[in-house]
Amino acid sequence: MSNFRRYYLPAFYGLITYFSIRLLLDTVTGMKFWERPLGLNLFEITACIFFGYLLIGAHHYMYRYFDTHWADMDDYRKRVLKELGAILMMTVLFQNLIILPMAAFTDDGAQWYDVADINLIPLLYSLIYYGVSRSNTFLQAYVSNKVKLQEVTNNQLQAELKFLKAQLHPHFIFNALNTIYFQMDEDVNAAKKSVEQFSELLRYQLYDQQQTVSIRHEIQYLHSFINLQKVRASDKLVLNLHLDPDLYDQQVYPLLLFPLVENAFKYVGGEYWINIKASLEHERIHFIVENAIPKITMPVKAGGIGLENLKRRLELLYPGKHTFEINKTARTFSVALSIEPEPVVYQTIITEEDEDQMRHHG
């Protein structure tokens, strides 16, 4: 296509221009151009082909100028109007310097209809060529800008996710270290076990927030957290934990369930109980955490920074694929999260023996 546009299209353009002008002129005057001297027709055809090469070459020279000097223009409509104005002036100049003189020295001279046809027809074709040839350039520029905008948006979202992850539970880390410190004076073995659980928690937080993990890992993380919290919790705490094994192989983004459990341990009071339930229903993960709270004597904000943080992460990671509800009464606080999980990818492992059997049967 490049060779055709470079070597053959200008000649075709000149011929189309010539025969369009002759058709209109002969329709008005009644002349039959094929009855004219052959040499005169050949001269005009050659001049129009030359005009085609010259005009198309000038088009692309100006395109390079536009792309070099006007590439930074943010308003594409203004840029297109400026380019059209430049192309129009260049075309009018060329057609009056090359085609119009031919009409002035042939037949009965340049009449008003000669001037009109010679100025309108090549100009029309020139603008059509501009629209066709430049449409691909502007389309590529539009797509490129969209891609760059999407990249910037994705980078911003990733930066926000990393920031939200960095905000997670600094008070929990302080409390865990404080618990381990006092355990070392009372029970060194228990302190060692707490350190192991604490290290597992920190290791899990290194997971990439853009990559999903098996919910089994999320639940293991919750178990480590709960075990640490039990060390600090009062003996009267009643913990009811129900985790449906059917959901263990589902894929979720990490650290989505943790803020709900952390919030329950942070604000538990009153009758001092916590209920945690996770299940898989209708292809959706349902996670409900309820806890008793002290009798409310003054307005208290429903949830802390952890839940607000979680809301934003859910909006980024599961847009339109989750529900998040908070309910609060005088004695209880509950949070219900429902997520449409990522599809599970199964991999088939083919052994050498299987390959031999397939080749045998093939």
Side-chain angles (χ1 to χ4, degrees), residues 238-269:
V238 178
L239 176 64
N240 299 309
L241 182 63
H242 175 72
L243 304 174
D244 187 354
D246 290 340
L247 57 76
Y248 280 7
D249 292 328
Q250 299 297 319
Q251 295 289 314
V252 295
Y253 289 97
L255 298 173
L256 292 179
L257 308 183
F258 170 77
L260 306 182
V261 178
E262 180 194 30
N263 190 76
F265 276 98
K266 183 178 180 181
Y267 293 106
V268 66

Side-chain angles (χ1 to χ4, degrees), residues 58-197:
H59 262 272
H60 290 279
Y61 174 82
M62 296 186 73
Y63 296 164
R64 290 191 292 271
Y65 176 85
F66 300 152
D67 292 338
T68 301
H69 295 83
W70 297 349
D72 296 333
M73 291 183 62
D74 295 329
D75 190 343
Y76 273 91
R77 287 177 297 182
K78 183 177 180 181
R79 177 178 172 179
V80 169
L81 289 176
K82 290 185 66 175
E83 291 187 7
L84 282 173
I87 293 295
L88 186 148
M89 293 178 59
M90 180 267 295
T91 304
V92 170
L93 178 64
F94 276 30
Q95 62 200 17
N96 281 277
L97 290 179
I98 298 175
I99 300 180
L100 187 59
M102 293 190 302
F105 295 101
T106 58
D107 300 327
D108 56 351
Q111 305 297 319
W112 67 267
Y113 44 80
D114 292 310
V115 177
D117 289 344
I118 289 172
N119 275 280
L120 290 178
I121 293 176
L123 180 60
L124 174 62
Y125 286 153
S126 180
L127 295 179
I128 291 174
Y129 181 78
Y130 168 81
V132 172
S133 58
R134 289 297 274 175
S135 61
N136 186 53
T137 299
F138 285 112
L139 178 60
Q140 289 179 349
Y142 174 79
V143 172
S144 178
N145 286 339
K146 282 292 184 182
V147 170
K148 290 179 180 178
L149 179 61
Q150 187 63 40
E151 289 178 352
V152 171
T153 302
N154 289 339
N155 290 336
Q156 289 176 340
L157 293 180
Q158 291 177 11
E160 184 174 359
L161 281 171
K162 291 179 179 178
F163 174 72
L164 292 172
K165 180 182 178 182
Q167 279 189 314
L168 283 175
H169 50 268
H171 58 276
F172 159 67
I173 296 176
F174 172 79
N175 291 335
L177 291 175
N178 196 40
T179 299
I180 294 171
Y181 176 79
F182 286 106
Q183 272 187 315
M184 292 177 67
D185 291 333
E186 299 176 1
D187 189 341
V188 175
N189 291 329
K192 289 182 178 179
K193 186 175 181 180
S194 296
V195 169
E196 291 176 0
Q197 292 174 337

